[in-house]
Amino acid sequence: MKHLFKLSLMLLALMLPATASAYDFEVDGIYYEILSDNQVAVTHQGLDDDPIPSYTGNVTIPETVTYEGTTYSVTSIGDCAFYRCSDLTSVTIPNSVTSISGEAFSHCYGLTSVTIPNSVTSIDGGAFSYCSGLTSVTIPNSVTSIGGGAFSYCSGLTSVTIPNSVTSIGGWAFCGCSGLTSVTIGNSVTLIDGYTFCDCSGLTSVTIGRSVGYIYSSAFLGCSALDTINFNAINCEDFFVIEDGGDGPPFEYLNISTINIGDGVQRIPALFAWDCCGLTSVTIPNSVTSIGNSAFFNCI
């Protein structure tokens, strides 16, 4: 019977899914996962699906690391690499890194400073979510995509400039950034997705870049302090998208007092300032040739 019992345990172990360690090696207190023969990602201790907070204080990530005679280039900050490292205060990322993966710095409440180099092209979903200690972030001109929820609930952020290199911003990207007072959206972004800036209760000014063609109805939901819109999107046709659960244009019922239409804009979209009853000032340049239906409806 004992032999049968041991055999049963062995068979059960073989049937259970294997859970691998997140890292392949550690050097100078930093954990790495091998991606290829010469590339690694920074990762954490523990298992793939159970990250252990591994870093504190000020962390400087090297461009290269040598292990057992092989030198690797550090090209990525891996999923959950610094997840819940609440005692982490600053991180310097080297120019060899091209991507910051999902939830890489999520819930790092003590993080006050991070340097994102010009080599980074993507910041994935939730990468800096709940980093409430961050007061400013410089997104370099190399970044082309910002994932959903990437900076959500970073309540300490006061201003964000999204460079012209960025073409896509995921939903919820800056949701809950209650300290955010101004946002500049670069000229390559074509869509402001659902809930992108929702509940940014301190947001007072938004500058919309030239290529934006669509704004979801929930994009600025809960932005109760939003006062000024600088609108530079040219030739917008179907500007507003009312998604499931949305109830109207994105600026509806907001207490906007000032709208500045930028030079080069040819069309003010329909429903543009629908029900913006606090509106006191509108600047329309000579380039505008048409104003959509109900663009300033009920602005009294």
Side-chain angles (χ1 to χ4, degrees):
M1 282 296 291
K2 288 183 179 180
H3 293 294
L4 288 174
F5 179 69
K6 289 181 179 179
L7 180 60
S8 297
L9 287 177
M10 291 174 63
L11 290 173
L12 179 62
L14 290 172
M15 292 171 64
L16 291 173
T19 305
S21 173
Y23 71 96
D24 293 306
F25 64 88
E26 175 267 328
V27 174
D28 295 333
I30 298 179
Y31 297 84
Y32 299 95
E33 176 189 4
I34 297 174
L35 303 177
S36 68
D37 289 343
N38 59 2
Q39 295 183 354
V40 292
V42 175
T43 187
H44 54 82
Q45 297 183 68
L47 306 176
D48 282 338
D49 58 353
D50 187 19
I52 295 175
S54 309
Y55 306 98
T56 61
N58 305 319
V59 173
T60 299
I61 300 169
E63 289 195 7
T64 61
V65 60
T66 300
Y67 177 71
E68 293 187 346
T70 300
T71 298
Y72 300 92
S73 179
V74 181
T75 59
S76 174
I77 309 298
D79 291 339
C80 300
F82 294 86
Y83 183 74
R84 289 194 181 276
C85 292
S86 56
D87 293 326
L88 183 72
T89 54
S90 72
V91 174
T92 300
I93 301 171
N95 286 318
S96 55
V97 168
T98 59
S99 64
I100 300 174
S101 300
E103 297 187 280
F105 295 93
S106 181
H107 292 81
C108 290
Y109 306 117
L111 185 63
T112 59
S113 173
V114 61
T115 301
I116 303 174
N118 287 323
S119 55
V120 171
T121 59
S122 62
I123 300 173
D124 292 348
F128 293 94
S129 59
Y130 295 94
C131 289
S132 55
L134 276 179
T135 56
S136 66
V137 171
T138 300
I139 301 172
N141 286 320
S142 56
V143 172
T144 59
S145 65
I146 298 173
F151 295 93
S152 58
Y153 300 98
C154 290
S155 56
L157 280 180
T158 57
S159 67
V160 169
T161 297
I162 298 167
N164 291 333
S165 57
V166 173
T167 59
S168 66
I169 304 172
W172 305 86
F174 296 93
C175 181
C177 293
S178 56
L180 200 60
T181 59
S182 66
V183 170
T184 299
I185 298 169
N187 287 326
S188 297
V189 174
T190 58
L191 168 69
I192 302 177
D193 213 334
Y195 303 97
T196 301
F197 297 99
C198 72
D199 292 332
C200 291
S201 55
L203 188 63
T204 60
S205 173
V206 171
T207 298
I208 295 172
R210 292 170 62 84
S211 298
V212 170
Y214 301 89
I215 295 180
Y216 273 74
S217 61
S218 61
F220 296 95
L221 186 69
C223 294
S224 55
L226 189 57
D227 175 78
T228 302
I229 302 292
N230 300 309
F231 181 76
N232 300 302
I234 59 176
N235 292 325
C236 286
E237 295 295 335
D238 300 319
F239 190 77
F240 302 123
V241 177
I242 300 176
E243 71 272 30
D244 291 343
D247 58 0
F251 305 127
E252 186 178 19
Y253 303 128
L254 296 179
N255 195 33
I256 295 168
S257 68
T258 304
I259 292 177
N260 300 311
I261 308 298
D263 289 336
V265 173
Q266 297 182 24
R267 184 176 189 273
I268 299 175
L271 311 180
F272 179 68
W274 176 285
D275 273 334
C276 291
C277 55
L279 192 63
T280 59
S281 174
V282 178
T283 301
I284 300 175
N286 291 331
S287 57
V288 171
T289 58
S290 68
I291 298 176
N293 291 335
S294 302
F296 297 97
F297 176 80
N298 204 29
C299 293
I300 57 174

